[in-house]
Amino acid sequence: MPSTADRIEFAPPTAKGSIRAFSLALLVHALLIAALAWGVNWKRSDTSVSYEAELWSALPRQVAPRLTETLPEPTPEVSKPAPVPAPPPPALEKPAVKAPPPPPLPAPNVDIALEQEKKRKQLALQKEAEVKKEAAKALEKDKAIALAKKQKERRAEEEQARRLAQAEAAKQEAREAAKEAQKLQAQKAAQQLARQQAQSKQAEAASQKQREENLARLKGMAGASGTTNDTGTALKSSGPSASYGGALRAAIRPNVVFTEEIVGNPMATVEVRVAPDGTIISQRLVKSSGNKNWDDAAVNAIIRTRVMPKDVDGRMPDTILLIDMRARG
């Protein structure tokens, strides 16, 4: 069979520092033994030394009342650990300098410890409650500060929005007022232009009329056939001469055919249109005499005449209004 030395690589590793640990353990045990030995020697008392004392009082004093002894409250017994028997002190040399003895350990009191623990827990709970209360107050204060800050920011934003809206409204009103002013100005300019154009047209029409009248007057003055005493503006007088009415009656009366008895003096008015050479173009009864037979006789007499005589100057009016168409008995 293979030995352990053949498989040393598979053996567990050796513990390091074992010699140091063993040395420290020995040192601790030696110190413990020395402490126990010193404690035993410290509790011994030397009975060879005695002391005497006398007490004198210079002034008389009253005696104090006797104290009544009250029984202490029973305390629960606490099981004490069994004392460890001290080993016999080894024969060691007495140290030259003794260390001061440690203070005696007080006896444990379970009730006091429980009461102190209870008070400590109550204080801890109170402190924790106070801390929580302070934290809640701080949180509420932070919330109030944050809310106030938000409200302030919101009011500032609303105020800014209101100012922007007012500024925009003012700009819009200014733009509307400018547009209205421009519109009114344009209307006034259009009205003024229309008035100027109308005045210009009226002035031009008046000027044209005046020019035409001046031209007509100049033409009339250039080719006028009147005498120096005439005041008209025409080249020639348009009315017939004083003897032209008698010439017309002399030409028409022989052509009147009327055999009835005439009562009164009926007078008919007939309009006659003639050509430049005197030929009758048309005739029209303008005003009746009240006697139809006489009206017909007057119109037929004009038709039979056929050609009207010219005036003494050779002129022939285009329209002749025959008013004095009377029937004399």
Side-chain angles (χ1 to χ4, degrees):
M1 293 181 66
S3 61
T4 307
D6 296 336
R7 294 181 299 173
I8 191 65
E9 64 275 7
F10 299 107
T14 58
K16 297 179 180 180
S18 58
I19 298 174
R20 183 181 178 186
F22 185 71
S23 301
L24 290 176
L26 288 178
L27 179 60
V28 170
H29 281 82
L31 292 175
L32 180 60
I33 292 170
L36 291 175
W38 177 75
V40 172
N41 292 330
W42 176 70
K43 289 183 180 179
R44 293 179 183 178
S45 60
D46 190 1
T47 58
S48 60
V49 181
S50 61
Y51 299 93
E52 292 181 3
E54 291 182 0
L55 180 61
W56 295 85
S57 177
L59 296 175
R61 295 181 182 179
Q62 297 293 331
V63 67
R66 180 181 298 178
L67 296 174
T68 58
E69 184 178 359
T70 58
L71 297 176
E73 294 181 0
T75 58
E77 296 181 357
V78 180
S79 58
K80 297 181 180 180
V84 180
L92 298 175
E93 294 181 358
K94 191 174 182 180
V97 180
K98 292 183 179 182
L105 297 175
N109 192 342
V110 179
D111 292 338
I112 294 174
L114 292 175
E115 188 68 24
Q116 290 178 355
E117 184 66 19
K118 185 176 180 181
K119 289 182 179 180
R120 187 184 64 79
K121 289 183 178 180
Q122 288 179 356
L123 290 174
L125 291 175
Q126 289 179 0
K127 288 182 179 180
E128 186 178 358
E130 290 178 358
V131 170
K132 288 183 179 179
K133 190 175 180 181
E134 292 295 331
K137 287 182 179 179
L139 183 60
E140 291 294 332
K141 186 176 180 180
D142 293 341
K143 287 183 179 179
I145 292 173
L147 181 60
K149 186 177 180 180
K150 288 183 179 179
Q151 290 178 354
K152 185 176 180 181
E153 291 177 354
R154 185 169 64 252
R155 286 195 296 268
E157 291 177 356
E158 291 177 354
E159 182 67 19
Q160 186 176 3
R162 184 179 64 81
R163 290 180 180 177
L164 290 175
Q166 289 180 353
E168 187 64 26
K171 289 181 180 179
Q172 185 66 23
E173 290 179 358
R175 287 195 292 267
E176 293 293 334
K179 289 182 180 179
E180 190 68 22
Q182 290 179 357
K183 186 177 180 181
L184 292 175
Q185 188 175 2
Q187 290 179 354
K188 289 181 179 179
Q191 292 176 358
Q192 185 176 2
L193 181 61
R195 286 195 299 268
Q196 290 178 356
Q197 291 178 352
Q199 292 175 359
S200 177
K201 288 181 179 179
Q202 290 178 358
E204 185 177 357
S207 177
Q208 182 68 21
K209 184 177 181 182
Q210 186 67 28
R211 187 166 51 251
E212 290 177 355
E213 290 178 354
N214 293 336
L215 290 174
R217 186 169 59 254
L218 291 174
K219 289 180 178 180
M221 292 175 67
S225 59
T227 62
T228 56
N229 296 326
D230 294 331
T231 58
T233 58
L235 296 177
K236 293 182 180 180
S237 297
S238 58
S241 61
S243 61
Y244 188 64
L248 290 176
R249 285 193 295 271
I252 295 172
R253 183 170 293 276
N255 297 320
V256 175
V257 177
F258 187 74
T259 59
E260 296 180 5
E261 184 179 358
I262 298 174
V263 178
N265 189 17
M267 183 178 64
T269 302
V270 180
E271 181 186 27
V272 181
R273 297 180 65 85
V274 296
D277 58 350
T279 304
I280 296 174
I281 299 174
S282 63
Q283 59 278 337
R284 182 174 64 90
L285 181 65
V286 177
K287 184 178 180 181
S288 175
S289 62
N291 189 341
K292 186 178 182 304
N293 294 328
W294 172 245
D295 294 340
D296 293 340
V299 172
N300 291 329
I302 294 171
I303 293 172
R304 292 190 188 98
T305 304
R306 297 181 63 183
V307 177
M308 291 293 184
K310 292 182 179 181
D311 202 350
V312 292
D313 56 357
R315 289 182 302 159
M316 187 69 217
D318 55 352
T319 303
I320 300 173
L321 189 61
L322 300 177
I323 299 174
D324 191 13
M325 295 294 291
R326 300 181 183 182
R328 290 180 173 84

